[in-house]
Amino acid sequence: MDTLVKTKILDPKIPEQLQEAIDLLKDGECVAFPTETVYGLGADALNQEAVKKIFLAKGRPADNPLIVHIADRKQINDLVVEVPAEAQVLIEKFWPGPLTLVLKKKLSVPDIVTAGLSTVAVRMPDHPVALQLLKSGVPLAAPSANISGKPSPTRAEHVFSDLNGRIPAIVDGGATQSGVESTVIDCTISPFRLLRPGGVTFEQLKNYCQIEIDRGVYHHVDKPRSPGMKYKHYSPDADLVLVMGEDKVSTIVQQVKLHPNKSVGIMAVSEHIKIYREHCPGTTLLEMGSKYDLPTVAENIYHLLREVDARGLELVFVEGFPEENLGMAIMNRLRRAAGKVLRSES
Ligand code: TXA
Ligand code: MG
């Protein structure tokens, strides 16, 4: 970006400030706003020049397509060629909410939004501020409002720290609720394919449609169906080691002892904090929430990944979770953030 702009923080409770955000979007600018999952960086999805600014501000690779956000279920018909009956059931059940459907796109959706794919990803977010912005005008193409590769922003401060000077405004709606991004499913094939686990779980979806899990959910694949899944993601600058298996606590305690001269942190569930306090004195303990309360863990995860850098840690061990329900989305994000995975013996 040639010249740095001053990034305004707008309060959506003040009508003039909400209007300012709407006017910027109508003028083809990009604006960050809260959704129920993470903050998005939105621009008029039907304006190619406006969408270009999103890629520039984030430093996002041009081959990674964006999700188009809408305010009303019916708006999907302006964007896609057809909605299969099973997808319609999911729309009725989960919208507004953290579920993104990939469908065959109409010509009116610019190629820049879909990175040249013949499909488009669409969702209706469940957040009053997002819906107010969307209702006032056009559909918004919006990726998470972080610098590409960094943890997704769950607070306006996170967006400011990444994008200050690169975008004209951030609408500050406080901390987001659900913490991990939307679930992305491909509805152009049968059975449907889970491309990215998220706020709506695989177990929930299975009750309403035929669906399989894409390999890319667990592994880096060369040509994933969801292009965003091939990038290392959500990463702090510190070395992050994901520790899985029954004996993860003792494995972490042993590992910490091997690095007496490093500034080491542990991301742990509340139930284990006391053990680490006793056995790993001097380490920074980052509490993720109770292992019985995965929504809280999901809500905390991106903030804690940012804390890792804010606290200047060099090496961080993070505890893994069983990959079911919300644990599938949490583990998907932790795997992508971690440079290394250790499996403890049981
Ligand atoms: O919760 C969310 O989904 C947030 C909020 C802001 O709505 N957005 C978000 O966007 O996480 P982003 O761009 O960070 O992630 C979108 C994911 C990427 O993995 C991308 O590759 C995938 O969706 N995607 C987008 N369009 C696609 C398409 N046509 N086919 C397959 N995958 C697609
Ligand atoms: Mg993202």
Side-chain angles (χ1 to χ4, degrees):
M1 194 159 271
D2 304 337
T3 45
L4 285 184
V5 289
K6 195 167 164 8
T7 301
K8 280 189 182 172
I9 308 288
L10 300 173
D11 181 348
K13 292 190 287 302
I14 301 174
E16 296 77 34
Q17 297 199 14
L18 186 71
Q19 190 57 44
E20 195 173 338
I22 292 168
D23 292 344
L24 281 164
L25 290 166
K26 284 191 176 149
D27 284 349
E29 292 299 331
C30 54
V31 171
F33 62 94
T35 78
E36 80 280 31
T37 58
V38 301
Y39 274 73
L41 181 59
D44 179 348
L46 304 179
N47 176 343
Q48 185 174 308
E49 291 306 313
V51 174
K52 222 181 249 174
K53 293 179 186 169
I54 296 178
F55 284 89
L56 260 181
K58 278 184 60 98
R60 181 175 176 108
D63 67 351
N64 193 1
L66 308 179
I67 296 172
V68 178
H69 297 66
I70 55 178
D72 185 307
R73 292 189 179 105
K74 289 194 209 82
Q75 265 178 302
I76 194 169
N77 299 313
D78 303 336
L79 304 169
V80 311
V81 178
E82 62 163 349
V83 181
E86 273 191 315
Q88 193 58 45
V89 171
L90 298 180
I91 288 173
E92 300 300 330
K93 183 70 198 162
F94 296 106
W95 280 9
L99 179 67
T100 296
L101 306 181
V102 172
L103 292 156
K104 287 229 158 50
K105 86 173 184 87
K106 275 195 171 153
L107 280 174
S108 54
V109 181
D111 280 344
I112 186 169
V113 172
T114 63
L117 296 175
S118 59
T119 55
V120 61
V122 186
R123 91 172 185 102
M124 180 178 169
D126 187 14
H127 192 289
V129 174
L131 290 171
Q132 271 173 306
L133 291 176
L134 287 163
K135 280 196 177 122
S136 68
V138 284
L140 296 177
S144 49
N146 49 292
I147 290 278
S148 255
K150 287 281 155 202
S152 294
T154 52
R155 303 176 183 190
E157 302 89 273
H158 299 160
V159 182
F160 191 79
S161 113
D162 276 17
L163 298 178
N164 178 25
R166 291 170 164 257
I167 58 171
I170 301 167
V171 183
D172 184 353
T176 61
Q177 279 163 3
S178 84
V180 288
E181 299 92 335
S182 63
T183 304
V184 180
I185 65 174
D186 185 349
C187 302
T188 66
I189 44 174
S190 182
F192 291 171
R193 189 76 64 89
L194 178 79
L195 302 182
R196 177 178 75 176
V200 173
T201 67
F202 177 64
E203 288 82 354
Q204 284 176 301
L205 291 169
K206 265 196 321 195
N207 293 326
Y208 301 97
C209 64
Q210 299 281 332
I211 183 162
E212 282 176 357
I213 304 175
D214 193 70
R215 240 163 34 92
V217 167
Y218 301 111
H219 306 287
H220 289 267
V221 287
D222 280 348
K223 263 193 170 281
R225 284 169 185 271
S226 180
M229 302 297 270
K230 77 180 171 209
Y231 298 105
K232 186 170 176 221
H233 245 118
Y234 318 119
S235 312
D237 294 331
D239 287 333
L240 191 72
V241 181
L242 172 61
V243 186
M244 291 159 57
E246 288 291 308
D247 284 345
K248 51 183 168 285
V249 175
S250 49
T251 302
I252 291 176
V253 170
Q254 281 166 17
Q255 286 289 321
V256 167
K257 295 207 162 96
L258 299 177
H259 300 279
N261 299 321
K262 278 198 173 161
S263 135
V264 177
I266 304 171
M267 285 172 66
V269 293
S270 312
E271 288 80 3
H272 299 160
I273 291 286
K274 230 174 111 188
I275 308 177
Y276 294 123
R277 193 168 289 136
E278 191 176 323
H279 293 281
C280 305
T283 53
T284 300
L285 300 178
L286 300 167
E287 186 169 345
M288 294 192 278
S290 167
K291 63 178 171 184
Y292 303 111
D293 181 7
L294 294 184
T296 297
V297 173
E299 198 182 309
N300 286 332
I301 224 153
Y302 286 133
H303 177 63
L304 292 179
L305 288 174
R306 284 177 179 263
E307 275 293 294
V308 161
D309 287 338
R311 299 195 191 195
L313 300 173
E314 295 167 284
L315 174 63
V316 175
F317 296 95
V318 55
E319 294 182 339
F321 292 82
E323 298 198 52
E324 52 197 32
N325 298 309
L326 213 45
M328 198 190 280
I330 292 169
M331 283 299 283
N332 173 269
R333 306 311 188 270
L334 290 179
R335 263 208 211 87
R336 259 153 242 280
K340 196 173 167 195
V341 179
L342 276 183
R343 192 173 288 276
S344 66
E345 300 298 324
S346 55

